Amino acid sequence: SVQTSRGKSRRIVEKIQEKCPIIWQGTIIGEPASKSNSRRIISRGKNSRIIKSKKALDYSSSMEQQLSILCKDVDMLEGLLSIYFDVWYASRRPDLDVELLKDVMQGWVYKNDRQVREQHARWHLDTEAPRCLIRVLMYEEGEMTLKL
């Protein structure tokens, strides 16, 4: 149920904060598009290009607008990072895919997605309010930042 999921998420956040404080957190409204399934071929004359799907382009644009507010007056993070994603989808159909989220965060939250050394992602269902809660922590070399 939704209450159980929220309660579990809250306990996980508390465990994360005990071990390693969150250095950036934000919620992105909307259902993320999959990066791996979001390419289309555009032909112009003899030339062809592969570009993001309309859904991926629209979501990237929306996420950038939201990040411009969330990251206002905040320096980009430096160093090695761990990221925790909780993604709520509007239906059971989409696969869990956070690669587009990481790509769009580059230049807003951190300088380069190569800084991400550890990531955890969880799939949730919320037909009323699809969104993604993102928590960023400093990466602890040699062991998982948080053992769930």
Side-chain angles (χ1 to χ4, degrees):
S1 76
V2 173
Q3 288 179 333
T4 304
S5 178
R6 287 183 184 156
K8 187 175 181 182
S9 292
R10 190 175 305 116
R11 286 191 302 277
I12 289 171
V13 170
E14 289 168 0
K15 286 181 184 180
I16 293 169
Q17 289 176 331
E18 284 175 17
K19 181 168 181 175
C20 188
I22 295 169
I23 56 174
W24 187 89
Q25 178 173 310
T27 299
I28 305 298
I29 305 301
E31 184 174 84
S34 170
K35 182 179 177 182
S36 59
N37 297 329
S38 66
R39 302 288 179 192
R40 60 186 173 152
I41 299 173
I42 300 294
S43 296
R44 290 194 177 163
K46 294 181 182 180
N47 299 324
S48 295
R49 288 180 40 195
I50 298 175
I51 64 170
K52 291 179 184 174
S53 70
K54 180 168 177 13
K55 181 178 179 181
L57 289 170
D58 289 348
Y59 185 79
S60 296
S61 176
S62 172
M63 185 173 174
E64 285 183 354
Q65 289 175 347
Q66 293 177 63
L67 286 172
S68 71
I69 296 166
L70 291 170
C71 296
K72 187 177 181 179
D73 302 322
V74 176
D75 292 333
M76 277 190 280
L77 301 175
E78 296 184 8
L80 302 180
L81 305 170
S82 296
I83 303 181
Y84 291 77
F85 297 94
D86 278 286
V87 184
W88 284 264
Y89 290 97
S91 73
R92 296 185 188 279
R93 186 164 184 222
D95 292 335
L96 180 61
D97 185 350
V98 296
E99 293 307 310
L100 185 61
L101 296 165
K102 284 181 12 188
D103 286 351
V104 177
M105 290 171 66
Q106 183 172 290
W108 291 99
V109 178
Y110 43 76
K111 292 181 180 182
N112 193 301
D113 60 6
R114 287 188 303 247
Q115 292 172 254
V116 178
R117 295 291 191 229
E118 174 184 35
Q119 72 181 28
H120 302 271
R122 295 188 316 157
W123 190 102
H124 305 276
L125 178 66
D126 187 338
T127 58
E128 308 269 325
R131 65 198 177 278
C132 182
L133 172 61
I134 305 166
R135 299 176 199 95
V136 181
L137 299 80
M138 293 305 297
Y139 173 72
E140 296 291 326
E141 190 74 43
E143 63 180 65
M144 285 180 55
T145 303
L146 177 68
K147 294 178 183 167
L148 302 177

